[in-house]
Amino acid sequence: MQPFSYYRAETANDVVSALSGGARILAGGTTLYDLMKLDVERAERVVDISALALTDIQMDGETLVLGALARMSDAAEHEILRTEFPALRESLWRAASQQLRNMATLGGNLLQRTRCSYFRHGAPYACNKRRPGSGCAALEGLNRAHALFGGSDACIAVYPGDFATALMAFDAEIDLLGPSGTRRIPLASLHREPEDNPERETNLEPDEFITAIRVPRSNAARASTYHKIRDRESYAFALVSAAVGLDLDGDIVRDARIALGGVATRPWRASEAERLLVGRPLTEATAREAGVAAFAGASTTQHNAFKTELGARAVADALMIAKTRI
C-alpha cells in the first residue's frame, strides 16, 4: 500500500494552492485510479476537483467553449457538437465504453497517459516514461501499436486519445490556471514529443490545470468526421485514426484539416497532406494522394509497418466521408 492524502477542492484557487509536493488531480477518476493501482502514479496527495463549476458547453461568439469538467457523454450529446463539430462528437462517442464516457471529463481525457504495455506493466520491462534512464523495451519488442511519428531512441509510445486528435485538426486552444493566473495555449503546444525526456508528456507546469477548451467555428469543422480503425468496434484504442474537415468551392478544396491518431507520440497534424489538397478537386484519386502524403516520412519498427498503408486508406476514406457533409 502507498499512503496518500485526499483533498476536495471547492474553488479553482483551492486547486492551485493544493497542487504542490507530488499532488495529482482527480476529476472523473477513470485513469488515475488505474495508474495508482499499477504503481505507475505514486501520488502523495490527491486533489479532487469534481466540485468545480467547469461543466458548461456553450458558444462564445464564434468559439465553442467546453468546460474541462464536462463529461465526455454530455459533450457528445450536445446539440452544438452534433451540428457544428461532428468530428469532435464522433471522437468522443468512439472512445472507451459508455460507462467510462459517463464519468470521464474532457480535461482529463486530454491528459491520459499511454497504454503502452511496457509502461503499464513495469518490471522487468524497461520504460523511460516509468523509470527514466532504464531504456525502452518497445524499440526491439512487441511494437505493433507504437508510433510512426514523433518517437525517439528513448520512447515510441503512442498518445492514446481520440478527442485531442480531433481538436488538433481544428486549431483548438486550452485555458490553463496556475499561481500566475490564467494563460491560453494552442492544443498543439500541450503535448510534448519524448526526445530525451519521455517522462515529461505535456507543457503544463506542475501547479497548473486545464479549465476550458476552445474551438473556433469554421466550415471545415462543420463538414468533418473522425474515422477510427481499431481491432474491435468498441472499447479499443485506435490503430490509426483520422480527424478530417473540409471547406469546398464546388469540388475544389479551399481548406482541408487532417490530424492523425494512433500513430504518433502526440496528436499529429498532417500539414503537408492538407496543403497538397488546397486548390485541387477532391476526388478518390486526390484523397488517396493526400493519404499517402500524410504518412510520408513514417518511421516504422518491426511490427507496425502495416500502419502506413492502413493510415493512408483511413485518411482517404475520411476525406470522402467529410465531402458528403458539405
Side-chain angles (χ1 to χ4, degrees):
M1 294 291 292
Q2 297 290 337
F4 63 92
S5 63
Y6 169 86
Y7 173 67
R8 182 174 173 83
E10 299 296 332
T11 69
N13 288 333
D14 288 346
V15 179
V16 173
S17 299
L19 288 180
S20 60
R24 294 291 186 271
I25 285 180
L26 174 68
T30 58
T31 293
L32 182 63
Y33 289 146
D34 284 348
L35 295 179
M36 290 177 69
K37 287 189 290 186
L38 291 169
D39 202 28
V40 174
E41 292 279 6
R42 291 192 173 192
E44 297 177 12
R45 192 179 200 198
V46 171
V47 180
D48 185 344
I49 67 170
S50 60
L52 274 59
L54 297 174
T55 59
D56 286 349
I57 299 171
Q58 59 189 348
M59 295 299 298
D60 180 7
E62 291 297 299
T63 300
L64 169 66
V65 182
L66 301 155
L69 292 182
R71 304 294 179 183
M72 291 173 64
S73 56
D74 291 337
E77 279 294 314
H78 203 282
E79 184 64 18
I80 295 174
L81 275 75
R82 184 189 300 273
T83 58
E84 298 288 330
F85 301 90
L88 302 189
R89 178 177 187 268
E90 291 168 359
S91 73
L92 293 167
W93 269 128
R94 290 171 179 161
S97 66
Q98 184 64 55
Q99 294 92 331
L100 288 174
R101 292 192 296 267
N102 287 342
M103 289 297 297
T105 64
L106 299 183
N109 183 270
L110 297 184
L111 300 177
Q112 64 183 297
R113 305 191 70 184
T114 185
R115 261 54 181 188
C116 172
S117 296
Y118 298 113
F119 167 74
R120 291 175 69 85
H121 291 164
Y125 304 111
C127 175
N128 287 317
K129 276 187 183 293
R130 186 165 180 157
R131 188 161 62 88
S134 63
C136 175
L139 288 171
E140 302 295 333
L142 299 176
N143 45 39
R144 175 176 180 266
H146 285 68
L148 307 177
F149 302 104
S152 70
D153 290 340
C155 181
I156 55 170
V158 161
Y159 171 78
D162 298 297
F163 185 48
T165 299
L167 291 172
M168 187 75 170
F170 303 107
D171 302 323
E173 296 181 315
I174 309 298
D175 287 355
L176 306 174
L177 180 63
S180 300
T182 60
R183 68 182 179 115
R184 186 171 298 163
I185 64 170
L187 177 97
S189 299
L190 177 62
H191 300 95
R192 295 166 55 96
E193 293 177 27
E195 299 179 334
D196 294 329
N197 303 104
E199 73 280 5
R200 186 175 179 193
E201 296 172 347
T202 76
N203 287 311
L204 281 176
E205 298 299 329
D207 47 8
E208 283 185 315
F209 72 105
I210 298 171
T211 59
I213 301 156
R214 297 175 178 269
V215 193
R217 177 186 269 149
S218 66
N219 291 335
R222 189 177 299 111
S224 66
T225 190
Y226 184 75
H227 191 42
K228 182 176 182 180
I229 309 298
R230 45 190 164 169
D231 285 326
R232 59 178 184 271
E233 182 60 25
S234 66
Y235 197 42
F237 293 93
L239 287 171
V240 298
S241 65
V244 165
L246 290 170
D247 183 11
L248 300 183
D249 181 6
D251 277 341
I252 303 301
V253 178
R254 284 189 296 220
D255 185 21
R257 310 292 182 90
I258 304 171
L260 308 177
V263 295
T265 57
R266 59 175 176 82
W268 198 261
R269 188 82 175 258
S271 301
E272 288 299 321
E274 294 173 349
R275 285 191 283 270
L276 180 148
L277 288 170
V278 173
R280 302 175 65 190
L282 181 63
T283 64
E284 290 188 1
T286 55
R288 170 65 180 174
E289 190 177 344
V292 172
F295 283 82
S299 179
T300 61
T301 49
Q302 182 179 0
H303 303 293
N304 68 3
F306 74 96
K307 285 190 177 188
T308 57
E309 175 63 21
L310 183 63
R313 293 187 184 192
V315 169
D317 288 347
L319 284 164
M320 301 311 291
I321 294 168
K323 185 178 180 180
T324 68
R325 298 180 175 181
I326 299 295

